[in-house]
Amino acid sequence: MNVQVRGKNIEVTPALKEYAEKRLSKLEKYLPKIDVVHVTLLVEGDLHKTEVTIPVAGYLLRGEEESPDMYSSIDLVVDKLERQAKKYKEKLYARFKNNKNIAAGEQSAETTTEPDNEIKIVKSKRFAIKPMSPEEAAMQMELLGHSFFVFTNADTEEINVVYKRRDGKYGLIEPEV
């Protein structure tokens, strides 16, 4: 596992990097084929924040936690990611088991009932999107009272998403090809 640690407003010491690598190695028992882990350590005022992103087979496991101490933030985010990894592994196992049973013609009562924690899309929506700037999209989002807005970026001509962050500021999601 290649752990890439970078810092914002903080110097990443060898001890911090080693601690993050050691704690994140716990995830290998759930996800043995992790190639790279992106870790960002930030200091914002008195808060120490840790953000971790792990690409796994087309999915992203992501966690961020903050506390007054950087080591505590690392512990908290690893605990969160461990829960996500367990859930991911359980869903993969359930899907594999269901596919195996269906292929063998053993459609049991267990495979026909949906688990409570299964992701289910309950509504689908289609709408026309017009080219606009991210600022215009944020204004449109506010006018609609939504927490995110999908639009075509007039500068890049790509689909982008603008969203409202917990801190009240705005974020922009841009695709990476």
Side-chain angles (χ1 to χ4, degrees):
M1 170 177 14
N2 176 15
V3 180
Q4 298 177 353
V5 182
R6 65 186 189 103
K8 287 186 182 176
N9 301 329
I10 186 174
E11 182 183 338
V12 179
T13 64
L16 262 176
K17 185 175 178 7
E18 188 178 309
Y19 186 77
E21 289 173 344
K22 180 182 174 196
R23 291 288 288 141
L24 287 164
S25 68
K26 287 176 58 176
L27 299 174
E28 286 185 306
K29 69 179 174 185
Y30 303 106
L31 306 166
K33 295 182 180 179
I34 298 174
D35 292 330
V36 67
V37 178
H38 302 282
V39 180
T40 304
L41 307 174
L42 323 119
V43 176
E44 295 174 341
D46 292 338
L47 289 177
H48 296 255
K49 190 177 194 179
T50 302
E51 298 175 351
V52 179
T53 306
I54 306 170
V56 180
Y59 292 99
L60 277 181
L61 295 182
R62 186 175 191 295
E64 66 179 58
E65 288 292 334
E66 55 187 38
S67 74
D69 175 54
M70 189 58 77
Y71 290 94
S72 298
S73 296
I74 293 170
D75 290 340
L76 291 169
V77 81
V78 169
D79 291 343
K80 180 185 266 189
L81 287 167
E82 194 171 13
R83 288 190 301 273
Q84 287 180 13
K86 282 180 188 176
K87 194 173 188 180
Y88 174 78
K89 190 171 182 179
E90 287 169 2
K91 286 187 181 210
L92 277 181
Y93 179 73
R95 187 174 293 152
F96 173 75
K97 185 177 171 186
N98 287 346
N99 286 343
K100 191 175 177 183
N101 288 346
I102 290 168
E106 301 172 9
Q107 186 84 21
S108 68
E110 182 183 320
T111 59
T112 58
T113 60
E114 293 183 16
D116 291 339
N117 63 353
E118 186 173 321
I119 297 172
K120 188 173 185 180
I121 297 173
V122 295
K123 185 177 181 181
S124 181
K125 205 174 197 181
R126 292 182 164 279
F127 59 95
I129 54 177
K130 68 173 195 156
M132 61 180 73
S133 70
E135 292 78 16
E136 187 180 350
M139 189 168 50
Q140 185 72 30
M141 177 187 72
E142 286 297 321
L143 289 171
L144 292 171
H146 293 170
S147 58
F148 69 93
F149 190 77
V150 179
F151 67 101
T152 301
N153 191 321
D155 297 333
T156 62
E157 297 180 357
E158 292 181 333
I159 301 293
N160 288 185
V161 177
V162 68
Y163 63 96
K164 193 161 194 169
R165 296 167 40 100
R166 288 185 208 131
D167 62 6
K169 297 177 183 171
Y170 298 95
L172 178 67
I173 300 174
E174 300 176 286
E176 189 175 296
V177 182

